[in-house]
Amino acid sequence: MQKILSYVRRACQEFDLIQNGDRVAVGVSGGKDSVVLLAALAQMRVFPGFNYTLRAVTMDPRFFGNDGDFSPVERLCKRLDVPFTLIKTDIYEVVFDIRKEKNPCSLCAKMRRGALHDAALAEGCNKIALAHSFDDVIETFMMNLFMEGRLGCFSPKSYLSRKDLTLIRPLVFAPEGVITGCVNQNGFEIVKSPCPVDKSTYRQEMKEFLLQKEREDRGFKLRLFTALRKGNIDGWGYDG
């Protein structure tokens, strides 16, 4: 966990993600990234200069019309002394049964974001922490390049003026391998996604492509990340 904490603290400091008095809702799907982010932000509150409150918010898409089992998330929240909110939605029904989307990920993500934003506001939060990792940054950067022919990525921090909410991504320096190691070392329970298109998306293809390039040419992903930062694309810039 110490390594993860160092990554999260670095992101918070470099991108000015959290200020004293913030009320932060953490979007927790139950996957490894969001569970590790929640645990890290809960522990980081003991450090000087990080005086904020946390709340975990989980969206249940209700896959195949069934309530999801998010009891592992609830147990972790009790252990961390973090309030937990579970929002049951009709996302699966809308995306797969009503709209019958051929490429469902975009609409699903949009509906999840909307529900999460509304839940955070209802709980009096001013920030939402999302669990995008170092690998997510690179994958998104490359997907935008290959699919849309543009240089772009999500930002480490984004202000939503219509909602008066700020989205923050404190896990963006943490590689997936370190996150997986943290889960294993700490015995975190993970909620597996029953999504019918999980592991069969273009993002998964990009993930596998980048893994192969990294095997062939060690440091490939880091060089892409460095190019993103040196180009100051979408708020990723740094001095030097």
Side-chain angles (χ1 to χ4, degrees):
M1 181 57 76
Q2 291 304 314
K3 205 164 195 178
I4 291 293
L5 284 170
S6 69
Y7 285 127
V8 172
R9 289 186 71 179
R10 177 186 168 195
C12 287
Q13 291 166 351
E14 285 200 28
F15 301 118
D16 193 27
L17 300 184
I18 297 178
Q19 287 78 42
N20 288 336
D22 278 342
R23 303 173 305 283
V24 183
V26 185
V28 184
S29 68
K32 66 181 187 307
D33 296 353
S34 62
V35 164
V36 167
L37 175 62
L38 176 64
L41 289 178
Q43 290 191 31
M44 204 169 69
R45 291 176 296 178
V46 303
F47 297 142
F50 290 101
N51 181 20
Y52 55 88
T53 60
L54 278 182
R55 174 173 290 275
V57 180
T58 295
M59 298 291 121
D60 182 2
R62 302 193 70 249
F63 287 108
F64 307 102
N66 301 317
D67 290 348
D69 179 11
F70 295 96
S71 55
V73 178
E74 188 171 11
R75 285 193 290 270
L76 177 62
C77 288
K78 287 182 179 178
R79 191 171 115 197
L80 298 173
D81 192 26
V82 174
F84 174 62
T85 300
L86 176 62
I87 307 294
K88 297 184 183 299
T89 74
D90 58 358
I91 292 175
Y92 175 86
E93 181 183 9
V94 171
V95 173
F96 290 93
D97 295 339
I98 298 175
R99 294 281 294 270
K100 301 183 186 300
E101 292 283 322
K102 293 182 179 178
N103 299 298
C105 296
S106 178
L107 179 58
C108 180
K110 183 177 180 180
M111 293 184 69
R112 281 173 181 261
R113 286 195 300 268
L116 178 59
H117 297 170
D118 291 343
L121 287 173
E123 298 293 346
C125 297
N126 67 311
K127 289 185 177 176
I128 298 176
L130 302 175
H132 293 104
S133 68
F134 171 88
D135 294 80
D136 291 321
V137 176
I138 303 304
E139 290 160 16
T140 302
F141 178 56
M142 293 295 284
M143 287 170 66
N144 286 334
L145 179 63
F146 283 14
M147 296 179 68
E148 301 180 23
R150 69 181 181 89
L151 297 175
C153 188
F154 53 75
S155 301
K157 180 170 68 174
S158 306
Y159 177 65
L160 306 179
S161 57
R162 288 186 300 173
K163 298 283 189 177
D164 193 25
L165 278 170
T166 300
L167 305 183
I168 61 173
R169 296 174 168 91
L171 209 57
V172 290
F173 288 134
E176 186 172 328
V178 176
I179 293 170
T180 300
C182 180
V183 168
N184 294 335
Q185 291 166 12
N186 290 276
F188 292 138
E189 296 179 89
I190 301 303
V191 177
K192 292 186 178 180
S193 172
C195 176
V197 298
D198 191 37
K199 305 300 183 184
S200 61
T201 63
Y202 185 69
R203 179 172 288 276
Q204 182 63 28
E205 291 180 24
M206 180 58 69
K207 182 185 291 292
E208 292 170 3
F209 167 77
L210 289 168
L211 283 172
Q212 182 60 36
K213 293 299 294 182
E214 185 68 24
R215 292 190 197 103
E216 297 170 355
D217 183 7
R218 186 174 178 83
F220 180 81
K221 290 195 287 186
L222 180 58
R223 291 194 296 274
L224 288 175
F225 188 75
T226 301
L228 175 68
R229 300 210 66 190
K230 285 185 174 179
N232 193 20
I233 296 170
D234 293 328
W236 283 99
Y238 62 98
D239 295 330

